[in-house]
Amino acid sequence: MLTGKTALVTGSTSGIGLGIARTLALHGARVMLNGFGDVAQALGVVREFDPGAAHHGADVSRPADIETMVRACEEQFGCLDILVNNAGIQHVANVEDFPVERWDAIMAINLSSAFHAMRCALPGMKRRGWGRVINIASAHGLVASAGKSAYVAAKHGIVGLTKAAALENATSGVTVNAICPGWVLTPLVQKQVDARAARDGVDDAEAKRRLLADKQPSLRFTTPEQLAELAVFLCSPAADNVMGVAWQMDGGWTAQ
Ligand code: NAD
């Protein structure tokens, strides 16, 4: 279904981004990965379906890096059709204890990076009359949790950014939407599981159960593959008129 389309997925060496990149490739897209860590392993996963998959090492906290990455994608693949703004980090602390440097990093990586990537990618999409921007927000784009002020502010911000950009592009053939996952068992969440296990003096399985029970009525993690299929739907012709949504896949988290 995505044959002939090209995709850039930020933060796709791990977790949700890697799941989305792999699934976009499975559906025929040519994919550029981005992110740190085990790049070779991530490329191996995606090259099963897209032998030409590439990686760009941009640090998305740096606007100039983002511009270079978008241009590299356009040059290497000829265009950029699908932009998935997924890179994100977390830090948990109350406002008065929140390290200023962590606040700035979360704003840069979880929010401003999406603005910069869209700023660079939208002109090409509009010229060609087709494009998809998918911003990975969070249940925390819709509701808050204590201790996550920067993350919640950035994710609420990305939901607002998504709506504004969707309206600006409503007649252009480019859609802009957000996906709002609940708990997904990735390295980002495993750190919070570990912290919960240490705090409560329980094992890994019990810490996961408690984390889910606090927020996610389904008591099951959403998987990267499930989120990826939603992203594929948003790229499909059936979603041509889906614009500016913040689509939950959160096991009932935000229905409460
Ligand atoms: P993860 O830690 O598994 O992956 C994060 C990715 O971002 C990695 O590839 C990492 O290398 C990359 N990254 C981090 N900083 C970067 C930077 N400065 N420049 C470039 N790449 C960078 O995390 P994940 O859980 O897969 O999270 C992906 C997205 O999904 C994030 O935006 C996160 O907020 C969101 N999200 C996750 C959950 C969850 O439960 N895991 C829930 C809701 C939303």
Side-chain angles (χ1 to χ4, degrees), residues 207-251:
K208 284 177 181 145
R209 200 197 62 73
R210 290 185 186 189
L211 211 70
L212 287 165
D214 279 351
K215 298 283 183 185
Q216 196 145 302
S218 68
L219 302 178
R220 282 180 285 114
F221 290 101
T222 299
T223 67
E225 291 70 28
Q226 290 169 332
L227 293 163
E229 290 298 341
L230 178 53
V232 168
F233 166 71
L234 289 173
C235 293
S236 74
D240 269 355
N241 218 20
V242 179
M243 297 182 184
V245 302
W247 204 311
Q248 302 103 310
M249 193 183 273
D250 64 3

Side-chain angles (χ1 to χ4, degrees), residues 10-18 34-38 56-62 65 69 85-90 105 108-110 136-140 151 155 158 179-192 216 221-222 224 227 253:
T10 69
S12 48
T13 48
S14 163
I16 295 168
L18 179 56
N34 158 253
F36 308 138
D38 195 341
H56 196 285
D59 176 343
V60 302
S61 69
R62 299 153 69 113
D65 273 26
M69 174 170 63
N85 288 307
N86 166 80
I89 58 170
Q90 177 62 286
I109 295 168
N110 295 21
I136 305 304
S138 168
H140 284 118
Y151 190 86
K155 294 299 187 180
I158 209 160
I179 293 177
C180 296
W183 290 124
V184 185
L185 191 55
T186 66
L188 182 144
V189 162
Q190 185 62 47
K191 277 189 213 152
Q192 296 173 67
Q216 196 145 302
F221 290 101
T222 299
L227 293 163
W253 181 324

